[in-house]
Amino acid sequence: MLEVRLLGAVEIVIAGEPVEMRRPQSRAVLAALAVDLGRPVSAATLIDRVWDDEPPKGAQSVLYSHITRLRAALQTEDTANPLVRRPAGYVLDLDPDAIDLHRFRRLTTLPASTAELREALDLWRGEPLAGIRGRWADNVRVTWRQQRLDAAVAWASAAGNDASVVPGIRALLDEYPLAEPLAAALMRVLAATGRTAEALAGFAELKVRLRDELGADPGAELQKIHVATLQAGGAATETRAPIRQLPTPVAGFTGRETALATLDSMIDEPARTAVISAISGTAGIGKTALAVYWAQRVAERFPDGQLYVNLNGFDPGGQALDPTVALRQFLGALGTKAEQIPDDRASMAALYRSLLAGRRMLVLLDNARDPEQVRPLLPGASSTFTVVTSRNWLTSLVAAEGATPVTLDLMTADEARGLLERRLGKERVAAEPEAVDRIIERCARLPLALSIAAARALQSGAPLRSLIDELEQQPWDTLDAGDPLTQVRVVFSWSYRALSRPAARLFRLLGLHPGPDISVAAADALIMGDAQPLLTELSAASLTTEHRPGRYILHDLLSAYAAELSETATEPAAPSEIAGEQGEFSEIEGDGETKGETEQQVLARLLDHYLAIAYAADKQLDPVRDPITFPIDKVHEGTPPKDWFEQEHRVLLSLQARAAETGHRREAWQLAWCLDNFLHFNGLWHDRVHAWQVAVDHPEDTNAAAHAYLNLGRVDNRLKRHADAENHLGRALALFEERGDAIGQAHAHRALSWVSEAHGDLRGALDQDRLALALFEEAGNRQGMADALNSVGWDQCLVGEHEAALETCERARTIHRAIGDRWGEASSLDSLGFANHHLGRYAEAVDRYEQTLAVVRDLGDRYFEADTLTRLGETHRAAGDVPAARKAWQRALDILTELGHDEADDVRTKINDLR
């Protein structure tokens, strides 16, 4: 079959293979003939189309040589040559469908179906007449692009509520970014399919583009759709109220006039980023105080709100905030519901930028470690201003993103005095100028140290000279080498010594907490008492901050100082009790609470606290889970909040690493076990791998190692790392066999069946599951029996034994219901749906799948839901209900995309194949 292609590079294709045409003028002549298919084109017209007003010498002869080459290229064995000479000119005589341009026009002739319009759009392979230059080619390209745009709008409008058209429309919008009809069609589809946040974000982005490039607002039709979408927006967004996330500014802020003036000068510049950094990387210099003070001062200039996040870039525990977590927080604040937030960082960042488009907002990224942590959080919208604070200079942001550096040095003496005046009052400062000068010197002109000194002065009410006397008796003064960080350590110790003994003890113990923050309940566990009044005392002394209700955080310098104290001191001594030259705190007899208290004892209390609640919280997720292999020593009384894991899982992962490093291997394993369901249900599979890898690397004994390898292999299977899974599960099986653990062996065989299935060895998978069933039956483990029966039934389906599978899976379901295992029952129902599907009993299959979905949605297992929806779509398609299939697959695709799972591509292909 002979084809001529113009909608991309100009080509002749015979039997599916392109014919080589080396000369661009030959391709231009072919295009000039193909446009007027079946009609004579004169030599003069061809010359004009190919060479404009500058034809070559002997143009007629040159044209004839190209015609000769084209005739040779167009010749096939079984048909006459289609390029012929007529009295009025040259004619290309082909079936119109053999030329993509004419086929496109036929398919788009109204009324055209959605399928015809999609087929027409798919004919485009890129820039039409690619590589052909000249006035004629440029003119026809403009016309054809408009025809393509009209077809795209017609296709999108005809699709109605079909979400599968969204990727195609977005791709076209990338090519036609100012096409309002195309944007309107996209908004309609997104709003109709419940993706209101994306629809509104797309409108905002287009509005900005139109204003920036054309100086115009969206037209009446797009405005009308926008209003209708806003009215229906409750289904997808939480609130449209301005966002106010800025922390409370530091009391008594003063100075920094040059830096403030620099920030003020940038405020009206489009899409600017300011990087506030410290000279020489000095911490405690007041970067955050400056940024927050300035942001609060100009907040009214950003009527759509202000976003704030502490990136914990220099957390002493090394737990810098992942940009993905920050993006998730920002998207939630911007009104995107949790179930609509993608899970992969790139998609999250794209949605974030879209939602900020058109909004006049301020974004404050505090305490960044490096440019890689910042870049995903940069908005890109010209209406948004970004401030970044960092101990590092972030030079590449300045070079690549055009950020403006705002560097801070130590405060001047006058600025430091102004800070003390704001905190203590001008009269008190003026009354003791020499003492004030000495305080400024001892605080190294660091705002953090000066604030702590001022807090101490306010608490004591004593003359400033008496505080100086106390400060200068500090034994650590001998360590002063002129380094600001060394000097501020003296100020920390001074403030610490002013605390009550219980508050000082809590401060020291906070240095042993893995972070990134701590709840009041965990602080109670640290001191084995009521921590709330002590946390209030620490906050009053500027030694800790309540950054969220009920959760406290330490500045990273203070955290490091507290950890140091936990190693070198017990109770704070009064000045008269200082031990001589070495400068160590003496151990004071008092309430005896901390005498001889070691890091291991403190860590043990933390582990007891967190493990008890984690175990109880996990029980809420899976009440019939097999008993934990290594029981938790402490029992939590009461019911943990439903969001407890969401609040604490980062702390738990940090605590697990600390436990493993310090020899608490049993507890490290227990933390992995308690976290497993939460991480699985929320698609945090890489965190799940990390947790079990820690358990594998630090086993308490062979039993712990066997279970760790088993669970690591299960996660490997989920991530499709089948070679790793086979290795880890093989190790687990060997260890279970060595121990004579029949139940462990059964679990390993069942997990190995997934590996066999992934490798296409379906009979091998069935054999593995039958081995697991026999071992569970031998051990009398009913839950294991039910799970294995369900797996056997699934395998029977895969090998074509569908009737047998129904019987096996019904047996599994009966046991699951009897023992109250809802997740197991859902698995059995899903398998029953699968078996009925393959028996052609589509109504029964749909019913079983719908029952499955009702259970897994209640359990919150997102991947299970998507997996079942994918099979439900297969059943609907087999039954001939294409709209229902598309709906099920779209819901599955949304979930898999949010989870960042590679199966999303498979489902996307299924949707595209429905066209």
Side-chain angles (χ1 to χ4, degrees), residues 325-337:
V325 177
L327 281 168
R328 188 177 295 114
Q329 294 172 3
F330 279 172
L331 289 172
L334 289 165
T336 308
K337 287 189 173 180

Side-chain angles (χ1 to χ4, degrees), residues 696-720:
V696 161
D697 292 341
H698 301 84
E700 181 182 19
D701 56 23
T702 56
N703 191 18
H707 283 278
Y709 278 122
L710 171 66
N711 286 290
L712 188 56
R714 287 169 167 168
V715 191
D716 289 331
N717 267 324
R718 182 67 70 194
L719 291 171
K720 296 189 175 181

